[in-house]
């Protein structure tokens, strides 16, 4: 039996998201029928060695072989690190990712990958120059459920997609949290769009942009509106419509994200010529979806599919990174650079229409 390719990871940040990622990274890949790649955490970087060591003790089974660093620079310089996972606040993504790229480390960077499209284009140019793999950590796209939805969507059994609605919301109790909280602070890129918006958008990209009838065309129109909180001026409620009508496909996605209400069921509904697919919330990691087959307005058949696996769904993206690094690819075919660029271009346009500008100096490239 061929030994799996082992990717050695450095972890940048010791916050909640990094905890989720590492916890799943340490799940035995064979529990998800993966035998070609495996993962090893070799370094963790934080603001202090003590913080990094505490993270290793709590979330990496106290593995004594993992090096604890009191800076991110230590991880970037470690020769035993092949790839880094960046889980810092998104205002730091550009700086952290660029440092990693310059150190010739492959990069998996949390969503939103940057604050704007200009930052991302700069990072992609640097990744190309230094010959490293780069991917945004949109973990939802790699989950088995997403792969199955795509398969059914593109099989033609439901006809062409026509309309999609998706929402991700959470009641953050805005009046009870400090204005320096990441969700409220414009200096941290706060607001609903960048924090929650990638998840409604991922389903529009998967079902509409990726659909063969769209032929890889960018959206023909993006229209957005924002309602800002008087607390700090970040977007509290954002809705945006993304239309695809440049090629054979003619379809529209209506997407929303809110900071002061909870999500609802279903989280996503994709309507086709001959049926619908509905996804159960939470839309960042749904565990079931339902397919309805229609004749006119009559439901002729209904199927529900459920997905269970060991872990919480963060490990599938790590498997993709490992395979791409093994195969010397610069980007993933599932969530390539074009999709992250489209995401950031859409967000830039929605912020422009909503007149939401970050404070001076927050964006590193404009």
């Amino acid at each position: 039996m061929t030994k799996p390719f082992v990717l050695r990871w450095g972890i940048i940040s010791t916050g909640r998201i990094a905890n989720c990622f590492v916890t799943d990274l340490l799940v035995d890949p064979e529990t998800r029928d993966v035998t070609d790649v495996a993962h090893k955490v070799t370094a963790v970087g934080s603001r202090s060695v003590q913080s990094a060591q505490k993270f290793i003790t709590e979330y990496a089974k106290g593995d004594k072989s993992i090096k604890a660093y009191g800076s991110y620079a230590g991880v970037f310089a470690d020769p035993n690190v092949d790839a880094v996972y960046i889980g810092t606040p998104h205002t730091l993504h550009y700086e952290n990712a660029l440092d990693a790229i310059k150190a010739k480390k492959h990069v998996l960077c949390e969503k939103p990958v940057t604050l704007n499209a200009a930052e991302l284009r700069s990072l992609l140019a640097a990744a190309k120059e230094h010959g490293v793999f780069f991917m945004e950590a949109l973990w939802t796209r790699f989950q088995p459920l997403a792969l199955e939805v795509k398969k059914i969507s593109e099989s033609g059994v439901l006809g062409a997609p026509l309309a999609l609605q998706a929402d991700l919301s959470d009641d953050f109790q805005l009046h009870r949290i400090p204005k320096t909280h990441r969700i409220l602070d414009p200096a941290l890129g706060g607001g609903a769009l960048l924090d929650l918006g990638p998840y409604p958008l991922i389903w529009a990209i998967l079902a509409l942009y990726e659909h063969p009838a769209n032929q890889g065309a960018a959206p023909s129109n993006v229209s957005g509106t924002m309602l800002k909180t008087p607390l700090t001026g970040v977007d509290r409620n954002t809705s945006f419509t993304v239309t695809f009508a440049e090629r054979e496909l003619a379809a529209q996605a209506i997407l929303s994200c809110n900071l002061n209400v909870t999500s609802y069921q279903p989280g996503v509904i994709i309507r086709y010529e001959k049926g619908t697919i509905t996804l159960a919330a939470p839309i960042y990691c749904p565990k079931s979806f339902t397919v309805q087959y229609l004749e006119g307005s009559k439901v002729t058949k209904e199927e529900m599919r459920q997905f269970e696996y060991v872990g919480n769904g963060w490990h599938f993206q790590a498997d993709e990174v490992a395979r791409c690094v093994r195969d010397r690819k610069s980007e993933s075919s599932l969530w390539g650079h074009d999709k992250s660029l489209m995401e950031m271009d859409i967000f830039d346009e929605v912020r422009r229409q909503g007149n939401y500008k970050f404070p001076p100096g927050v964006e590193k490239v404009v």
Side-chain angles (χ1 to χ4, degrees):
M1 184 176 171
T2 307
K3 285 187 177 181
F5 172 81
V6 179
L7 189 63
R8 302 174 301 174
W9 288 90
I11 308 301
I12 302 301
S13 171
T14 51
R16 183 183 66 84
I17 300 297
N19 156 20
C20 294
F21 179 73
V22 167
T23 300
D24 267 14
L25 202 62
L26 298 179
V27 171
D28 183 353
E30 291 194 15
T31 64
R32 54 187 182 273
D33 296 323
V34 170
T35 57
D36 61 323
V37 294
H39 308 278
K40 174 81 175 78
V41 177
T42 53
V44 173
S46 189
R47 284 169 290 188
S48 69
V49 172
Q50 292 81 1
S51 175
Q53 189 57 59
K54 182 172 182 281
F55 181 90
I56 294 167
T57 301
E58 292 183 2
Y59 304 117
K61 304 176 182 177
D63 187 339
K64 302 241 185 284
S65 71
I66 301 174
K67 180 76 174 170
Y69 289 99
S71 70
Y72 301 150
V75 177
F76 299 144
D78 192 324
N80 293 314
V81 170
D82 303 313
V84 296
Y85 167 78
I86 295 173
T88 51
H90 40 268
T91 44
L92 298 176
H93 286 179
Y94 178 78
E95 176 187 338
N96 297 155
L98 187 60
D99 287 345
I101 289 167
K102 288 179 176 177
K104 297 197 180 300
K105 304 300 184 189
H106 305 291
V107 175
L108 176 64
C109 184
E110 256 311 326
K111 48 63 52 188
V113 62
T114 50
L115 286 175
N116 61 32
E119 286 188 348
L120 178 55
R121 287 185 169 89
S122 175
L123 287 181
L124 294 178
K128 184 176 182 180
E129 177 188 348
H130 291 277
V132 297
F133 173 86
F134 183 90
M135 189 177 87
E136 180 180 19
L138 252 175
W139 58 306
T140 309
R141 178 62 183 82
F142 305 92
Q143 294 162 11
L145 180 143
L147 303 182
E148 186 65 18
V149 168
K150 178 179 170 69
K151 183 178 173 183
I152 295 171
S153 179
E154 296 181 4
S155 71
V157 68
L158 297 174
L162 302 175
L164 180 150
Q165 275 121 351
D167 173 84
L168 181 61
S169 300
D170 195 6
D171 186 356
F172 282 85
Q173 301 287 310
L174 297 179
H175 289 278
R176 297 182 182 179
I177 60 176
K179 293 180 181 179
T180 53
H181 188 285
R182 64 173 178 81
I183 206 75
L184 274 178
D185 192 347
L188 294 177
L193 181 65
L194 287 186
D195 196 80
L196 304 179
Y199 292 116
L201 183 58
I202 173 68
W203 293 106
I205 290 176
L206 181 143
L208 305 184
Y209 172 71
E210 293 184 21
H211 195 278
N214 186 53
Q215 299 172 22
S220 53
N221 182 267
V222 174
S223 178
T225 183
M226 288 180 161
L227 180 60
K228 298 172 186 170
T229 171
L231 293 170
T232 59
V234 304
D235 63 304
R236 186 185 70 194
N237 312 82
T238 294
S239 297
F240 55 112
T241 302
V242 183
T243 302
F244 293 89
E246 291 293 320
R247 299 290 189 270
E248 294 175 20
L249 184 72
Q252 192 172 72
I254 300 172
L255 313 172
S256 57
C257 42
N258 306 277
L259 300 180
N260 59 345
V261 292
T262 57
S263 289
Y264 57 85
Q265 296 286 6
V268 180
I269 180 163
I270 313 167
R271 291 184 280 179
Y272 298 79
E273 293 171 317
K274 297 182 285 186
T276 63
I277 297 177
T278 56
L279 281 69
I283 68 170
Y284 47 79
C285 189
K287 288 296 185 71
S288 68
F289 70 89
T290 301
V291 184
Q292 286 188 336
Y293 298 85
L294 301 174
E295 286 183 8
S297 59
K298 182 183 176 183
V299 177
T300 59
K301 186 169 70 167
E302 184 171 288
E303 299 172 343
M304 183 180 180
R305 307 199 184 184
Q306 291 184 299
F307 294 77
E308 294 296 336
Y309 40 80
V310 179
N312 293 303
W314 300 78
H315 33 30
F316 300 108
Q317 61 181 345
D319 294 341
E320 174 72 2
V321 175
R323 291 183 181 114
C324 289
V325 170
R326 176 196 66 193
D327 298 341
R328 301 182 184 278
K329 293 181 178 179
S330 61
E331 61 182 302
S332 163
S333 60
L334 298 185
W335 189 257
H337 298 161
D338 61 320
K339 294 167 193 173
S340 291
L341 281 168
M342 183 192 312
E343 171 196 9
M344 298 317 301
D345 281 335
I346 289 171
F347 289 169
D348 284 357
E349 178 60 19
V350 173
R351 284 196 302 111
R352 187 192 69 78
Q353 292 181 24
N355 195 31
Y356 176 20
K357 298 175 182 177
F358 297 122
V362 173
E363 296 164 286
K364 303 303 184 289
V365 186
V366 292

